[in-house]
Amino acid sequence: MTITTTPQTATIKHLLRDTDLSRPVYEQLLADAALLKREKASGSIQPHLCGLNVAVIFEKPSTRTRSAFEVALHEEGAGCTYMDSASSHLGSSESFEDTAHVLSRFFDGIAYRGFAQSGVDQLAEHGSIPVWNALTNEWHPTQALADMLTMRETSEKPLKDIVVTFLGDGHNNVANSLMTSAAILGMDVRIGAPELLQPDPAVIDAARLIASRSGARITVTTDVNAAIAGADFLYTDVWVSMGESDELWDQRVPLLLPYRIDVDLMHGTGNAKTQFLHCLPSIHDSTTVLGKKIYDRFGLDGAEVSNDVFRSPASRVYDQAENRMHTIKAIMLASFAPMNTGS
């Protein structure tokens, strides 16, 4: 096994939720990811994970996260074995505990994307190798890292001075991870959502506790204008998440229309430099099967964001998508870093 060194200093074992990361480690991961991105852009990638093998277990479908892990592992010299719900026994005839023990005998790390947070927690508890949360119902830490790298790259301000506002379904994994990560980094983060779709009070309390130490500012409100005032970034996500009933659209569309990001809402920030973020996939027009269904049912051409915002020069959605790969590389290198020192 050959693991070459990299100028990063962050070391972690698992990444199960955003609260696993301290501010110094988070900032170092972002610096590492930026360096790895520059290496790729210059064509000077030096593989750091040669001889390692990682299991990528996805019980939910994925485009960006799967691609990010597979390409990152390939470029870093590691082997990758992809398993979905049809190609493994996990959760059907084999427990998370047994799977963790077995895979620890074959692999050096596990990326897991699934449903309940307890699944990824059990893989980490019972296995002997690093485990990374590639999305659960509750948390999406690899997405938040990519979001932070994108804001770090595209804003003239340092992260601690940035105002980022999430609008829409605030009771989802992306909002949880964004709010918590922003709290860790000392940012001004706002969640604008109706009462029924605000983050879990326990997540808000945890983020506010972190903010009391980091200097972050956290706002959770139903008031759209208060949420967006002066925002440097407006962020949204689909209004009905993977695994939720299609019938929820009938409830969500009238509830969330005031939080839909269009050109008027972008101008409403009062900040001429406001940029747009979205974790993707996005319903921004009626060209997809789901987009056409939303248009036919509600007369809405695009749901959570209008196409003119999504396609505008202010949109950073493809930067976010690319940055998934660079931040995932940084996470994996940090998890394997102790192997360089024998610790």
Side-chain angles (χ1 to χ4, degrees):
M1 180 192 306
T2 303
I3 306 177
T4 58
T5 59
T6 179
Q8 61 88 34
T9 56
T11 58
I12 58 174
K13 182 170 184 181
H14 308 298
L15 179 57
L16 309 181
R17 49 181 58 75
D18 304 78
T19 51
D20 289 343
L21 302 175
S22 66
R23 185 169 183 170
V25 169
Y26 210 122
E27 291 175 341
Q28 186 61 53
L29 286 172
L30 294 177
D32 296 344
L35 174 60
L36 291 162
K37 185 173 184 176
R38 290 194 298 272
E39 285 184 357
K40 181 175 175 65
S42 66
S44 58
I45 294 175
Q46 299 295 319
H48 303 99
L49 303 179
C50 298
L52 299 181
N53 288 284
V54 170
V56 177
I57 307 173
F58 279 28
E59 294 187 305
K60 286 185 176 183
S62 168
T63 299
R64 280 149 299 282
T65 309
R66 177 180 177 178
S67 298
F69 269 103
E70 290 190 342
V71 175
L73 287 162
H74 174 75
E75 290 188 347
E76 292 300 324
C80 174
T81 298
Y82 176 80
M83 290 177 261
D84 58 22
S85 56
S87 58
S88 78
H89 297 292
L90 179 62
S92 57
S93 59
E94 190 163 36
S95 68
F96 280 88
E97 178 178 353
D98 290 348
T99 299
H101 286 301
V102 170
L103 295 186
S104 293
R105 302 296 182 99
F106 293 115
F107 295 97
D108 301 289
I110 299 171
Y112 171 77
R113 179 185 181 95
F115 296 90
Q117 180 70 21
S118 59
V120 73
D121 288 344
Q122 288 181 68
L123 290 174
E125 177 184 357
H126 298 292
S128 58
I129 56 179
V131 175
W132 309 292
N133 182 347
L135 177 145
T136 61
N137 292 341
E138 294 86 354
W139 298 101
H140 200 354
T142 62
Q143 178 65 55
L145 273 155
D147 299 337
M148 297 303 160
L149 180 60
T150 305
M151 287 187 276
R152 183 179 184 264
E153 290 176 334
T154 60
S155 176
E156 299 170 355
K157 301 178 180 179
L159 282 174
K160 67 179 180 62
D161 294 334
I162 285 175
V163 179
V164 56
T165 298
F166 183 95
L167 294 174
D169 178 11
H171 191 71
N172 72 8
N173 48 17
V174 172
N176 288 345
S177 285
L178 178 72
M179 179 170 60
T180 304
S181 290
I184 292 168
L185 294 170
M187 299 169 67
D188 185 334
V189 58
R190 306 168 187 176
I191 307 294
E195 290 282 358
L196 288 175
L197 294 172
Q198 291 187 353
D200 188 298
V203 176
I204 298 173
D205 289 345
R208 284 180 170 154
L209 178 60
I210 295 168
S212 69
R213 300 164 183 160
S214 69
R217 291 78 68 204
I218 296 177
T219 303
V220 179
T221 181
T222 60
D223 187 331
V224 176
N225 291 329
I228 68 173
D232 299 294
F233 293 89
L234 295 186
Y235 196 147
T236 192
D237 192 4
V238 292
W239 287 347
V240 176
S241 299
M242 282 185 294
E244 292 188 312
S245 170
D246 184 64
E247 296 176 357
L248 282 174
W249 282 104
D250 292 318
Q251 175 193 34
R252 298 279 174 86
V253 168
L255 194 61
L256 290 172
L257 267 178
Y259 302 88
R260 182 177 191 257
I261 298 178
D262 58 16
V263 171
D264 288 340
L265 200 69
M266 291 286 285
H267 290 161
T269 66
N271 180 353
K273 296 183 178 180
T274 300
Q275 300 180 68
F276 173 72
L277 300 174
H278 196 302
C279 56
L280 303 182
S282 168
I283 303 171
H284 56 88
D285 58 22
S286 56
T287 60
T288 63
V289 172
L290 183 53
K292 179 67 162 52
K293 185 184 295 186
I294 298 303
Y295 180 78
D296 290 342
R297 282 170 68 176
F298 305 104
L300 198 59
D301 192 12
E304 70 276 3
V305 60
S306 62
N307 195 50
D308 49 2
V309 170
F310 186 89
R311 299 291 187 195
S312 74
S315 178
R316 297 289 174 254
V317 297
Y318 300 130
D319 297 316
Q320 288 173 271
E322 178 190 346
N323 283 339
R324 299 296 306 283
M325 178 176 62
H326 306 301
T327 49
I328 281 170
K329 281 186 179 182
I331 293 163
M332 292 192 293
L333 267 61
S335 292
F336 293 126
M339 301 175 71
N340 288 332
T341 62
S343 59

